[in-house]
Amino acid sequence: MSFLAGAIFGLPVGFFSVTFVATLGASCSFALSKYTVGGLVNRYFPERIEQFSNEVNKHRHNLFNYILFLRISPLLPNWFINLASPLLHIPFSYFFIGTFLGIMPATFVCVKAGLTLQELTSASDVLNTQLLVTLFGLALLTLLPTWAPFRSRVSNLFK
């Protein structure tokens, strides 16, 4: 969808359309899990839910940054984050905004690649080591506010 949006609509319209629609789809999955299929998710993925719950609880004080990190990085599949988040009482506002902002880097790359869809000869033309290192670096940057020395320096600035 992202590649095609870039090829058909161009970068600005394709990028914002894909970002919005993907966030809307993730939000629908969140609601579906919260109101109907949450029990099935707990039943079929109890170990993964427990592991994710432990991680969410460790990052409860910086939950938004953790959600943003998960969306930028490929550590957990997005479908699992969508379905497990409401079961772990992640606020919808954190989920929505974290998803919207967190999927932007990868969406940008895919939509931009769609602009040159006809010129691509292999997957390495789009995905290469430099791009993966950049995306992982962005993911790590979102964790910076959770690092205690950084937090204390920032709070000292505002005293």
Side-chain angles (χ1 to χ4, degrees):
M1 179 172 95
S2 303
F3 292 109
L4 198 54
I8 294 172
F9 301 117
L11 187 61
V13 173
F15 172 70
F16 285 108
S17 298
V18 170
T19 303
F20 177 73
V21 170
T23 302
L24 187 62
S27 299
C28 288
S29 294
F30 181 100
L32 189 65
S33 179
K34 183 173 185 170
Y35 297 112
T36 59
V37 298
L40 290 173
V41 174
N42 272 324
R43 191 164 114 211
Y44 287 106
F45 303 105
E47 296 88 17
R48 289 184 91 171
I49 292 286
E50 185 176 342
Q51 289 171 344
F52 189 38
S53 175
N54 291 337
E55 289 302 312
V56 165
N57 289 332
K58 285 181 199 173
H59 298 92
R60 209 38 95 176
H61 61 283
N62 274 323
L63 195 53
F64 175 76
N65 290 79
Y66 185 62
I67 295 298
L68 192 59
F69 170 77
L70 289 176
R71 289 303 190 175
I72 292 173
S73 70
L75 295 179
L76 278 177
N78 284 328
W79 64 266
F80 182 75
I81 297 168
N82 297 345
L83 295 175
S85 292
L87 305 177
L88 304 179
H89 308 291
I90 293 174
F92 180 72
S93 59
Y94 287 9
F95 176 84
F96 185 87
I97 296 168
T99 297
F100 186 77
L101 296 175
I103 65 172
M104 281 184 168
T107 300
F108 180 81
V109 169
C110 292
V111 171
K112 187 152 176 56
L115 295 173
T116 58
L117 200 56
Q118 297 170 347
E119 300 168 15
L120 295 178
T121 57
S122 72
S124 65
D125 291 343
V126 178
L127 294 174
N128 56 40
T129 306
Q130 181 183 1
L131 174 64
L132 293 175
V133 167
T134 301
L135 289 175
F136 192 68
L138 280 171
L140 289 176
L141 193 60
T142 64
L143 291 179
L144 191 59
T146 66
W147 188 40
F150 179 82
R151 273 197 328 259
S152 66
R153 286 187 185 144
V154 170
S155 58
N156 288 338
L157 287 174
F158 294 106
K159 284 185 178 179

